[in-house]
Amino acid sequence: MPEFERQTDIGPPHYEQFLPEVIKKNYGKWDYHEIIKPGVMVHVAESGDKLFTVRCASPRLLAITSIRKFCDIADKYCDGHLRWTSRNNVEFLLTDEAKIEPLIKEIEEYGFPVGGLGAELSNIVHTQGWVHCHSSASDASGVVKCVMDELFPYFSGEKRLPAKTRIAYACCLNMCGAVHCSDIAILGVHTRAPVINHDDLPKMCEIPNLIASCPTGAIRPTTVDGKQSVEIVEEQCMYCGNCYTVCPACTINNADTDGISIWVGGKVSNSRVAPKFSKLAVPYLPNNPPRWPEVVEAVKNIVETYAANARKHERMGEWIDRIGWPKFFELIGQDFTKYHIDDFTHAGETFKRTAQLRH
Amino acid sequence: MTEKRKTPLLDELEKGPWPSFVKEIKKEAEHNPMSNDVLGILERSYEEHISHWKHGGIVGVMSYGGGVIGRYCDLPEEFPNVREFHTYRVNQPSAWFYTTKALRHLCDIWEKHGSGLTNMHGSTGDIVFLGGSTESLEPCFAELSAEKEDHPSFDLGGSGSNMRTPSCCVGPARCEWACYDTLDACYNITQTFQDELHRPFFPYKYKFKFAGCPNDCVASIARSDCSVIGVWKDDIQVDNAKVAEYDKNGTDVQAEVCDLCPTKCMEWDGKTLDIDNSNCVKCMHCINLMPKALKPGKERGATILIGAKAPIIGGALLSSVFVPFLEMDPESDYEDLKELTEAIWDLWGEHGKNRERTGEFIQRVGLSNFLEEIGLDPVPEMVMHPRTNPYIFFDDEIFED
Ligand code: HEM
Ligand code: SF4
Ligand code: SF4
Ligand code: SF4
Ligand code: SF4
């Protein structure tokens, strides 16, 4: 017997009880904001009240030990209030300007640096990887850690970027967290068709469901040793892993051939140019834990090339559209291959249909 | 006490300035056997370059069809404490605000029932409790949802083929650009559709995200079946004295603001910023650059866009415009948005294929058919441009007059 009176369908707690007094008082009546220094901003209300925000890094995966430490700090400096951002950063909210520096000192000493506001690199949103997911083609937190270590000066405000730069990471094409509209998307990829366990399959999976799960129709019914099973037409498989999610007997994970691809130039905000998808820059890099040097190098190269060449306020995608893709590939030193040309539904829409070329 | 593991590969990830998730796991591994086994099995993945987690098996709490993701390891003999390592999705408060009291309460519950590891937060927005046994599910949920002293009660969010946990940007709580109350709308919609959130009725998942303005800080246009993006209808509010201050203090108003406006609808003569608001597409660029001088207009609401999704199965889609402008007045209890939602769910629920998202469904049946069934009139805002393809299915109504 559970020792508590269980409730259902009560929904989340009402947010209002968690808002600091200054927010309750000035809700919907903010006048403007300013970034005072890297990772610190002030919002000024029409009433003249000020709310300071100190934004610090987090690895998304947090131990309750750390959360309790954040609570101690928020009690000491922020009257017990804090929040998280959509990119897994922690924000400490305070009204007393004098407390900002001691707060920063304490949180940085505990190992959580402050930064990531404005035209800087924010945290990398990411997925579960080898820490917790069955279909991951690569780890997530580890790759993110190594990339952020390397690009840290762009987070801390020591180095500047032309505009906001959003990096996102997903460990398979399922893209929990939808990384497909980021300035740089790092994406785990499988590169071989699933291997079928014909003994387990009839016990674990419904064959019609399994066949229907394949976007390209690569899965066909067959009989193996008198048992109903399926076969996969290798040429038709593009390694999405959807069949594996539906049926655990179609293992797609492969230690030797799984790896990482890199996509660029996407965005979600409507500012200046419309939201757009990221496009393929690097088709395949090997999994190389623990420090993933090839991936870190490739991402760093793209960020630095962008930083050195783009105009002020130009997002990655706007910059590439201005200089053109041939120039982009030349600048980052990446060969253009057959893998860069789309061959799925509506692929033709991505072909160049003009003679306006730079020669 | 748990025995300290040797993790030479993972130890490499404790180096460097960025906070380390390995340190986080180690903080709990010192006293929590589940976390200690996570450390061990992850080190194994780092050696072998492959995941050691399995999916499968329906687990959950009584009367719910969602909110818990079943997870098992494939080396149960070696790592018995993570034989079962399920995830709870705990429905977060709007815009992820907390008091330390509420957070400590959550930590205490998770210390008692699980691994002590969390994601703050998962991609859909929930607080993720990372790893509990099957046995712990009911007592943990009971304690989360119970009314206990003066602690807030928490509920589970969505998983599976149902409405997923809605999420929203910080909105009017701390952003001067919010064109409607994202926190209230998110809370209201979440509460209204509790049944759809906890019990899978749908062909596949359905996500809501609420962004207060076209900056779309929660990436709603890329990640939600229903993207609610705040916008205004009337004129941008301009304080010319402040524009001049920006110009004086280093912003080149002509080059950085006017020249980068996508519709070139702004002119600056050094004194007055003249905006042809009838041509402004509300992109936010000028407002983002001069937050003290410019503000969204006063007649505010939201654009409703439908159908975003990641690649699987039919390829990635961005949401597309459905209702160019909808009032988002809390007084109306978001009736219009709810009616629209129910109409979409009815249609997609009846005709959608298994694991077909709304965006894919619309592609399959055609946007015009979809609109007709929902009862919305087509408007030019819905398309980039009219069709170029002359294979038109005419019906009889064109002869009626
Ligand atoms: C008052 C001003 C603003 C506030 C309070 C605000 C708030 C936020 C917050 C809290 C996040 C999550 C950030 C993180 O976790 O690091 C975010 C993300 C984002 N913001 Fe803003 N923001 C503001 C201005 C802007 C501006 C000026 C733009 C565009 C020019 C913008 C576009 C975005 C985008 C694209 C994301 C990332 C969304 C994603 O990919 O998940 N925001 N914003
Ligand atoms: S992106 Fe793929 S591998 Fe990663 S957490 Fe999501 S489903 Fe799992
Ligand atoms: S991985 Fe994807 S494409 Fe390949 S067989 Fe499975 S479902 Fe089909
Ligand atoms: S989406 Fe707009 S209103 Fe919401 S936080 Fe971002 S900038 Fe502010
Ligand atoms: S909001 Fe965008 S389109 Fe409108 S005036 Fe400003 S820059 Fe131009």
Side-chain angles (χ1 to χ4, degrees):
Chain A
M1 270 309 280
E3 67 191 284
F4 298 99
E5 188 75 33
R6 176 187 196 271
Q7 307 185 81
T8 59
D9 299 288
I10 50 173
H14 196 276
Y15 53 90
E16 202 183 330
Q17 61 193 297
F18 302 131
L19 302 177
E21 278 312 310
V22 60
I23 286 188
K24 279 189 204 157
K25 188 172 154 217
N26 298 291
Y27 197 88
K29 298 195 196 97
W30 296 102
D31 187 18
Y32 66 92
H33 73 280
E34 265 177 319
I35 296 174
I36 328 181
K37 55 177 273 184
V40 184
M41 61 181 163
V42 60
H43 282 79
V44 181
E46 285 161 10
S47 67
D49 287 353
K50 287 182 177 176
L51 169 68
F52 299 95
T53 300
V54 175
R55 183 180 287 180
C56 81
S58 110
R60 190 181 82 122
L61 193 164
L62 287 172
I64 53 175
T65 304
S66 299
I67 298 174
R68 284 173 174 150
K69 178 71 180 183
F70 296 162
C71 289
D72 293 344
I73 292 174
D75 279 344
K76 197 159 156 192
Y77 301 105
C78 312
D79 301 318
H81 292 279
L82 67 166
R83 72 176 289 266
W84 266 264
T85 73
S86 61
R87 304 188 77 85
N88 317 108
N89 295 306
V90 189
E91 291 188 336
F92 292 93
L93 306 162
L94 58 175
T95 45
D96 184 352
E97 195 166 0
K99 289 182 179 167
I100 294 176
E101 289 311 319
L103 188 156
I104 293 179
K105 188 160 175 280
E106 198 162 328
I107 194 73
E108 290 197 330
E109 270 168 15
Y110 189 61
F112 293 82
V114 168
L117 275 176
E120 286 168 7
L121 193 63
S122 189
N123 200 351
I124 301 185
V125 290
H126 62 276
T127 52
Q128 302 287 20
W130 292 338
V131 174
H132 207 220
C133 191
H134 65 283
S135 64
S136 40
S138 168
D139 190 29
S141 317
V143 182
V144 166
K145 160 81 176 141
C146 298
V147 171
M148 284 311 282
D149 274 345
E150 189 64 35
L151 296 178
F152 189 74
Y154 296 100
F155 173 83
S156 67
E158 194 187 311
K159 288 188 184 171
R160 305 291 298 172
L161 290 163
K164 269 184 200 302
T165 305
R166 300 301 191 212
I167 307 184
Y169 176 96
C171 30
C172 86
L173 272 57
N174 211 32
M175 291 195 193
C176 308
V179 303
H180 56 296
C181 296
S182 311
D183 296 279
I184 301 181
I186 313 172
L187 178 66
V189 286
H190 303 290
T191 62
R192 293 290 177 274
V195 175
I196 296 166
N197 182 330
H198 295 289
D199 288 333
D200 288 350
L201 192 137
K203 285 178 268 169
M204 298 172 100
C205 318
E206 305 220 353
I207 289 173
N209 269 354
L210 178 56
I211 291 173
S213 76
C214 180
T216 63
I219 307 179
R220 298 198 185 149
T222 187
T223 311
V224 179
D225 297 334
K227 276 185 246 157
Q228 289 207 318
S229 189
V230 300
E231 63 185 356
I232 292 177
V233 184
E234 304 250 348
E235 301 74 49
Q236 247 166 283
C237 174
M238 41 61 173
Y239 331 116
C240 69
N242 202 39
C243 53
Y244 181 50
T245 293
V246 172
C247 172
C250 298
T251 312
I252 192 161
N253 298 338
N254 184 320
D256 299 325
T257 56
D258 288 346
I260 286 175
S261 58
I262 297 176
W263 307 68
V264 297
K267 75 195 276 279
V268 294
S269 110
N270 289 275
S271 188
R272 295 179 305 285
V273 299
K276 38 182 162 186
F277 290 127
S278 315
K279 284 105 186 164
L280 182 64
V282 183
Y284 182 84
L285 293 168
N287 271 332
N288 222 339
R291 296 294 312 192
W292 320 86
E294 296 85 355
V295 178
V296 171
E297 186 47 43
V299 174
K300 186 181 176 196
N301 175 29
I302 293 169
V303 169
E304 289 187 338
T305 310
Y306 160 69
N309 290 279
R311 290 178 184 159
K312 196 172 177 187
H313 306 306
E314 219 169 30
R315 289 280 292 257
M316 179 96 53
E318 292 172 275
W319 165 60
I320 299 173
D321 282 348
R322 178 168 59 80
I323 64 169
W325 287 96
K327 184 81 182 173
F328 170 77
F329 281 106
E330 186 189 315
L331 283 175
I332 66 162
Q334 165 71 43
D335 285 339
F336 187 82
T337 68
K338 66 176 183 181
Y339 300 120
H340 290 94
I341 299 178
D342 194 357
D343 51 12
F344 200 59
T345 324
H346 310 305
E349 287 166 16
T350 65
F351 302 165
K352 185 83 137 194
R353 294 192 162 104
T354 167
Q356 292 184 355
L357 303 172
R358 295 170 178 82
H359 295 284
Chain B
M1 266 328 284
T2 47
E3 199 188 325
K4 201 161 183 271
R5 290 179 180 281
K6 286 205 170 48
T7 53
L9 292 171
L10 293 180
D11 294 351
E12 289 299 312
L13 292 170
E14 292 187 68
K15 299 171 183 165
W18 193 251
S20 164
F21 71 105
V22 171
K23 280 190 187 156
E24 294 301 304
I25 301 174
K26 285 190 176 177
K27 282 176 194 171
E28 296 312 305
E30 275 177 34
H31 50 258
N32 185 310
M34 289 185 115
S35 287
N36 197 39
D37 274 3
V38 170
L39 207 56
I41 205 162
L42 188 61
E43 177 74 11
R44 184 70 69 84
S45 284
Y46 268 65
E47 285 162 12
E48 297 173 359
H49 299 198
I50 201 155
S51 172
H52 281 291
W53 298 103
K54 293 196 298 184
H55 61 109
I58 306 265
V59 289
V61 300
M62 252 182 325
S63 89
Y64 277 16
V68 183
I69 321 283
R71 190 68 76 212
Y72 303 85
C73 83
D74 65 3
L75 301 167
E77 271 75 46
E78 268 176 88
F79 302 99
N81 297 303
V82 292
R83 178 187 295 271
E84 297 151 357
F85 199 66
H86 315 313
T87 304
Y88 299 78
R89 291 187 175 166
V90 180
N91 199 332
Q92 82 287 1
S94 281
W96 304 289
F97 281 95
Y98 296 94
T99 55
T100 53
K101 189 162 178 254
L103 273 176
R104 287 203 176 93
H105 177 56
L106 288 169
C107 291
D108 292 347
I109 293 176
W110 195 225
E111 173 158 51
K112 187 164 150 194
H113 296 286
S115 68
L117 301 176
T118 71
N119 287 150
M120 299 296 279
H121 296 79
S123 303
T124 307
D126 314 77
I127 304 158
V128 170
F129 279 0
L130 206 59
S133 66
T134 311
E135 201 184 13
S136 73
L137 294 176
E138 271 301 324
C140 183
F141 175 62
E143 194 163 351
L144 270 173
S145 65
E147 277 174 44
K148 196 185 171 199
E149 289 147 35
D150 55 347
H151 287 298
S153 311
F154 282 85
D155 200 347
L156 296 185
S159 67
S161 294
N162 53 10
M163 179 175 91
R164 295 297 177 87
T165 316
S167 68
C168 65
C169 76
V170 72
R174 199 199 50 198
C175 187
E176 67 268 30
W177 297 327
C179 293
Y180 71 97
D181 190 340
T182 52
L183 289 79
D184 183 66
C186 183
Y187 181 76
N188 186 312
I189 291 292
T190 310
Q191 290 292 354
T192 303
F193 295 119
Q194 281 295 302
D195 205 17
E196 288 81 355
L197 182 61
H198 291 130
R199 285 157 208 98
F201 290 125
F202 297 159
Y204 202 18
K205 58 183 123 170
Y206 193 91
K207 298 185 179 178
F208 278 98
K209 287 197 195 297
F210 298 89
C213 82
N215 280 331
D216 197 0
C217 294
V218 281
S220 72
I221 203 163
R223 322 203 298 187
S224 49
D225 301 83
C226 181
S227 323
V228 183
I229 302 182
V231 73
W232 66 96
K233 255 184 160 171
D234 53 346
D235 296 354
I236 292 179
Q237 305 179 58
V238 185
D239 180 337
N240 274 308
K242 297 238 168 79
V243 178
E245 252 174 60
Y246 274 103
D247 202 45
K248 205 176 76 203
N249 295 338
T251 304
D252 183 338
V253 174
Q254 184 60 45
E256 292 182 49
V257 183
C258 300
D259 293 351
L260 295 180
C261 165
T263 59
K264 305 284 182 288
C265 66
M266 317 182 88
E267 272 179 50
W268 169 243
D269 62 7
K271 283 203 188 73
T272 312
L273 188 67
D274 188 23
I275 306 178
D276 170 8
N277 279 281
S278 65
N279 270 319
C280 164
V281 288
K282 302 5 178 191
C283 84
M284 289 298 292
H285 168 71
C286 57
I287 300 175
N288 288 337
L289 283 201
M290 303 190 292
K292 285 186 192 171
L294 305 183
K295 292 198 181 346
K298 291 182 169 163
E299 202 186 334
R300 297 175 177 193
T303 302
I304 312 296
L305 305 93
I306 302 285
K309 59 177 291 292
I312 286 172
I313 305 168
L317 294 169
L318 292 169
S319 287
S320 67
V321 175
F322 213 51
V323 182
F325 189 86
L326 195 69
E327 276 186 37
M328 292 291 287
D329 183 4
E331 299 294 308
S332 75
D333 200 30
Y334 310 103
E335 233 13 89
D336 294 346
L337 179 59
K338 288 175 191 170
E339 257 177 49
L340 195 68
T341 301
E342 277 163 5
I344 292 171
W345 286 351
D346 280 348
L347 186 65
W348 170 61
E350 189 170 346
H351 300 286
K353 292 191 209 165
N354 187 26
R355 281 168 69 79
E356 183 177 52
R357 294 280 289 269
T358 27
E360 290 163 320
F361 176 66
I362 293 171
Q363 300 248 320
R364 179 163 63 83
V365 302
L367 180 59
S368 2
N369 289 331
F370 188 78
L371 292 173
E372 208 165 296
E373 293 296 327
I374 299 288
L376 276 185
D377 288 332
V379 291
E381 281 88 347
M382 290 174 176
V383 293
M384 302 289 279
H385 54 74
R387 68 157 73 216
T388 55
N389 143 31
Y391 302 158
I392 309 175
F393 295 102
F394 286 110
D395 4 292
D396 287 343
E397 68 177 22
I398 58 162
F399 307 114
E400 287 161 15
D401 228 346

